[in-house]
Amino acid sequence: MDYQAPWFLLNRHIETIYPALFRTVRDVDYQRERIDTADDDFLDLDWLHTGSDKVVIISHGLEGNTQRAYVRGMVKAFAQTGFDALAWNYRGCSGEVNRQLRFYHSGATDDLHAVVQHASHRYNEVFLVGFSLGGNLTLKYVGEQGNRIHPTIKKAVAFSVPIDLHTSCLQISKTENWLYTKRFLDSLKAKVVAKSKVMGGLNLSHFDKIKTLMDFDERYTAPLHGFAGARDYYLKCSARSFLEDIQIPTLLINAQNDPFLSPECFPKNINNPRFTFEAPANGGHVGFSSFHKSGLYWSELRATAFIND
């Protein structure tokens, strides 16, 4: 099932930006549910119910949420093939400041586990799909669960995943990617400011010196989540280290022209027959645009095909 980019998407940046700006996914009417976490915080879950006994849990990317077109498209694709869909918002991503000082991060599998546990008692079969940061979260989760993974979880799919967080952070910080970095940093810094207004523990001094995502991770992500620094965070949370421990059929798809991904994000010689890696030449970052008669993108058709196989 090879991917061919539309002719007018002339380079990897256009492939990445076009769907983010211009795609609209209709006929996805969520029902929201709020669940509490073990540390007295909350997660907002958005459901699309079809009456199925199987569900796909969808994890979004950095500074995304369940309203992003790539999430809604995946929800719609699975609903059309007979699944319930559960798209969840990370802490602070549903439009409301979360209760605890911590936010979310690329390795926060405790929150994904809480969502899985909440859903698994309702369904006979559970499937996981993740994008970018959410893909790293998904792969790390199924890897660290190993043989202990809940028996209802059957398969996982991840797209556009920075499985080596350190080198990917260096990649996205390159000059050609300044627009992405600025967008992410503006959003992340705004959340820090908003949270600082309702609780203590967030030092805003020298805020203007945070110029890269690594700066942000060193200043906030690492210390707020118990890591010694950004490099420690990247080392412990990169999904690459967990791929050989995965015990369910799992598919990772990273486009070769993804502007966010370093060469280290294209794994070779992974000794795990349950893990499959595909690297189409095109696709950009969370792109994979197509003009299928169903209105679905290639990534959605590929995910449903893999999970239904």
Side-chain angles (χ1 to χ4, degrees):
M1 190 176 182
D2 295 332
Y3 174 66
Q4 298 291 328
W7 65 267
F8 64 90
L9 300 182
L10 302 176
N11 61 53
R12 60 185 183 168
H13 298 297
I14 298 175
E15 287 190 62
T16 300
I17 294 169
Y18 173 82
L21 292 182
F22 298 110
R23 189 185 187 194
T24 300
V25 180
R26 297 181 174 85
D27 302 320
V28 175
D29 298 315
Y30 290 131
Q31 292 180 317
R32 176 153 291 188
E33 178 185 18
R34 176 166 290 185
I35 64 172
D36 292 321
T37 62
D39 61 343
D40 191 33
D41 212 331
F42 66 89
L43 298 170
D44 284 333
L45 318 183
D46 287 329
W47 292 87
L48 185 63
H49 294 288
T50 66
S52 179
D53 63 354
K54 52 190 179 182
V55 65
V56 59
I57 297 174
I58 301 171
S59 301
H60 61 75
L62 178 65
E63 286 304 276
N65 55 55
T66 59
Q67 295 298 335
R68 295 298 170 88
Y70 63 86
V71 176
R72 291 171 63 88
M74 193 63 72
V75 167
K76 186 174 183 177
F78 275 97
Q80 289 180 351
T81 54
F83 290 73
D84 279 10
L86 165 54
W88 66 292
N89 299 277
Y90 308 151
R91 301 188 192 213
C93 290
S94 61
E96 185 176 334
V97 176
N98 64 303
R99 298 178 194 138
Q100 297 298 326
L101 193 60
R102 66 171 285 187
F103 288 92
Y104 69 93
H105 63 82
S106 296
T109 50
D110 55 335
D111 283 350
L112 177 54
H113 185 64
V115 174
V116 168
Q117 291 292 97
H118 181 71
S120 60
H121 73 277
R122 305 184 187 184
Y123 294 92
N124 294 327
E125 296 179 89
V126 177
F127 303 87
L128 306 179
V129 175
F131 296 92
S132 196
L133 180 149
N136 189 84
L137 201 66
T138 298
L139 296 173
K140 178 176 179 284
Y141 178 69
V142 295
E144 67 189 8
Q145 289 290 305
N147 289 320
R148 298 178 292 105
I149 198 163
H150 197 283
T152 60
I153 302 176
K154 303 302 183 182
K155 292 183 180 181
V157 184
F159 293 94
S160 305
V161 185
I163 61 172
D164 189 285
L165 295 172
H166 179 225
T167 57
S168 288
C169 201
L170 296 176
Q171 174 69 27
I172 199 173
S173 298
K174 290 182 176 179
T175 303
E176 66 181 88
N177 292 325
W178 69 270
L179 183 63
Y180 310 121
T181 297
K182 183 180 187 304
R183 176 177 172 273
F184 287 136
L185 279 179
D186 286 350
S187 182
L188 288 165
K189 291 166 79 171
K191 286 184 177 179
V192 170
V193 172
K195 183 172 283 195
S196 72
K197 293 178 179 179
V198 297
M199 65 181 72
L202 291 168
N203 185 353
L204 300 186
S205 63
H206 307 295
F207 205 52
D208 59 340
K209 293 184 178 179
I210 298 174
K211 303 296 185 183
T212 68
L213 288 173
M214 190 176 296
D215 292 341
F216 184 88
D217 290 337
E218 185 71 32
R219 182 71 176 277
Y220 294 109
T221 308
L224 287 175
H225 300 98
F227 300 103
R231 292 291 293 272
D232 183 52
Y233 160 51
Y234 301 149
L235 178 65
K236 291 177 178 176
C237 293
S238 292
R240 187 182 181 94
S241 301
F242 298 86
L243 299 181
E244 293 195 355
D245 298 320
I246 292 172
Q247 297 298 311
I248 60 171
T250 297
L251 172 65
L252 167 61
I253 298 177
N254 283 344
Q256 295 176 41
N257 70 342
D258 190 321
F260 293 18
L261 301 185
S262 63
E264 290 80 0
C265 295
F266 297 82
K268 299 177 181 178
N269 303 318
I270 300 299
N271 185 26
N272 185 346
R274 298 176 182 86
F275 173 75
T276 301
F277 176 61
E278 296 177 359
N282 297 99
H285 187 75
V286 192
F288 303 106
S289 301
S290 60
F291 294 90
H292 192 269
K293 61 183 179 181
S294 66
L296 301 177
Y297 271 23
W298 179 87
S299 48
E300 294 142 16
L301 298 172
R302 183 70 189 96
T304 53
F306 178 79
I307 283 177
N308 282 305
D309 185 13

